[in-house]
Amino acid sequence: MLKKHKDRLFRLIFEDKKDLLEKNRSEVMSMILTTFNKKSHDKTLRREGFEYRLLMLVRKKFELGQSPEKIAEDLLESPKTVKKYIRQLQNKA
């Protein structure tokens, strides 16, 4: 079953470079499968999602007039982290 998915992936990604890649098929497939690390990718997505959610909470609380110290206390974060997010928000505005 895994071979079937590998073949399908290979065709979808590299159809226009077929001749070159078929000559080096095993090397190309090995490179693709060893380069992509699903666990690492999923971990990165979770971390980025957490950071984005934290940024949105900081923004909302800051817009309501709360101080960085109060926000940090409410969100159980360091004031340094909260101030970093506030600077990011102000630089985007």
Side-chain angles (χ1 to χ4, degrees):
M1 178 127 171
L2 184 57
K3 183 176 178 353
K4 180 180 170 183
H5 292 293
K6 287 181 189 177
D7 291 341
R8 184 168 179 259
L9 177 64
F10 184 84
R11 282 192 303 276
L12 287 172
I13 296 173
F14 302 110
E15 192 64 40
D16 61 331
K17 296 176 178 47
K18 191 173 183 175
D19 293 335
L20 173 67
L21 295 171
E22 281 183 350
K23 289 178 188 174
N24 302 306
R25 182 183 179 122
S26 62
E27 183 181 349
V28 170
M29 289 305 295
S30 174
M31 184 181 76
I32 289 170
L33 295 174
T34 57
T35 302
F36 181 74
N37 181 331
K38 184 169 176 23
K39 283 184 181 180
S40 176
H41 178 69
D42 290 345
K43 185 177 179 180
T44 300
L45 289 177
R46 282 191 303 275
R47 187 187 75 246
E48 289 174 354
F50 173 79
E51 289 174 359
Y52 178 77
R53 180 66 178 143
L54 184 58
L55 178 66
M56 293 298 100
L57 289 170
V58 168
R59 185 196 76 187
K60 186 174 264 188
K61 288 178 165 288
F62 190 68
E63 287 174 349
L64 291 172
Q66 292 185 7
S67 71
E69 292 75 18
K70 172 71 171 130
I71 296 169
E73 182 182 323
D74 290 350
L75 299 178
L76 304 175
E77 287 291 331
S78 72
K80 182 179 177 181
T81 299
V82 170
K83 288 175 185 176
K84 177 184 83 169
Y85 284 125
I86 291 171
R87 280 192 303 276
Q88 284 179 357
L89 292 165
Q90 289 173 333
N91 288 338
K92 285 185 179 182

